[in-house]
Amino acid sequence: MESYRLTISDWSAFSPDRVSRADWRRWADGESAVAADAPARAELPWVSAMLRRRLSPMGKAALWAAGQLLSQDRPQPLATVFASRHGEVARTVKLLRDLADDAPLSPASFSLSVHNAIGGIHSIASDVVTPITAISAGPDTLSAALLEAYTQLSVTGTGGEVLVVYYDDPLPAPLDGFDGSSPQVQALAMRVSISADGMPLSFSLTGAGDTLSAGPGPEADCFLRFLLRDDQSELTVAGDNRRWRWYKQSQGGA
């Protein structure tokens, strides 16, 4: 079975319940969250007020997670991959309801319902001039985004990094019957390389071979726990008629 290697050199995650790395590590270890006075808000001081008003809470979470991994004192990513299983589907549902009611459609809502909308706002707000890809691949979405990052790094061969940003919300009614999961991770950003220091991983992709179970939980939740838990060295993600197998490697690459 052919496998591929990449390195997670840095990460950031956001949810209304937890923001700091310490909180996420406690969550990964199964510790109960400390009740907060109010849900966390994704503050985006580098995004203009006009653009912030256009973002949904999920969009703000995605840009917040990405922003924690960008600064003037570190190299800019060679590319950015935005990935979401459902994207801004709540906006689409609202547009369809308006259409059914013969109500006028909002051009702004339509422009922000497309799958690359959050990536476009990120490019404007952060002056990004490198390539941006938007991916949706059902239950394979996060793994497919990391494969896309690996492919871009392999093609360029320059030793840089790709920024991967995964974000999702539970499906709104009446679509919630198709996927009733409630992910704890609203947004997860990772700087990915094939040569930098960090957490080295290997992964392989195989056909299902038999019927796949739904898996232990939402994809981003499972993947972040895998990254953070010292006692978990591998992860199998049940995709759409395929399996992704992820393994932690030693720092020496053995």
Side-chain angles (χ1 to χ4, degrees):
M1 181 192 312
E2 188 172 9
S3 63
Y4 311 92
R5 296 193 178 195
L6 53 77
T7 298
I8 308 297
S9 62
D10 203 357
W11 66 274
S12 175
F14 181 91
S15 82
D17 297 322
R18 56 190 62 84
V19 175
S20 72
R21 295 189 185 210
D23 285 344
W24 282 112
R25 292 188 185 279
R26 285 191 289 269
W27 165 82
D29 289 335
E31 298 181 22
S32 299
V34 178
D37 295 334
R41 296 179 59 185
E43 302 292 346
L44 305 172
W46 63 92
V47 180
S48 69
M50 181 183 70
L51 290 177
R52 285 200 304 270
R53 285 194 294 269
R54 304 185 69 187
L55 288 165
S56 66
M58 181 185 66
K60 291 178 181 177
L63 263 60
W64 184 93
Q68 306 313 298
L69 305 186
L70 299 172
S71 63
Q72 293 182 348
D73 60 351
R74 63 195 307 180
Q76 290 297 303
L78 299 174
T80 304
V81 179
F82 279 88
S84 179
R85 183 170 182 175
H86 305 302
E88 294 278 8
V89 67
R91 293 184 189 271
T92 303
V93 169
K94 175 64 165 57
L95 287 167
L96 291 173
R97 292 187 186 279
D98 289 344
L99 191 63
D101 293 338
D102 291 325
L105 300 182
S106 164
S109 292
F110 175 78
S111 68
L112 293 169
S113 69
V114 297
H115 205 64
N116 62 349
I118 293 177
I121 291 178
H122 169 70
S123 70
I124 296 170
S126 299
D127 295 324
V128 176
V129 295
T130 52
I132 293 179
T133 304
I135 285 180
S136 177
D140 302 84
T141 297
L142 179 54
S143 293
L146 290 165
L147 174 60
E148 171 70 13
Y150 170 84
T151 303
Q152 294 202 32
L153 290 165
S154 298
V155 169
T156 58
T158 57
E161 293 180 308
V162 169
L163 177 63
V164 173
V165 185
Y166 178 92
Y167 55 97
D168 228 354
D169 267 345
L171 282 173
L175 304 177
D176 48 343
F178 293 96
D179 179 10
S181 63
S182 296
Q184 294 290 307
V185 180
Q186 189 176 32
L188 171 63
M190 296 172 284
R191 288 184 74 112
V192 180
S193 75
I194 54 177
S195 60
D197 294 334
M199 181 182 294
L201 307 175
S202 66
F203 68 98
S204 61
L205 175 62
T206 62
D210 53 22
T211 302
L212 287 174
S213 62
E219 187 182 12
D221 292 15
C222 294
F223 194 85
L224 184 55
R225 280 197 180 96
F226 163 65
L227 288 184
L228 299 184
R229 288 184 65 95
D230 293 333
D231 61 353
Q232 185 176 355
S233 60
E234 61 183 78
L235 172 69
T236 298
V237 177
D240 186 6
N241 296 320
R242 61 186 64 84
R243 283 191 178 92
W244 302 83
R245 300 188 186 276
W246 292 91
Y247 303 91
K248 289 177 182 173
Q249 303 294 319
S250 66
Q251 294 294 327

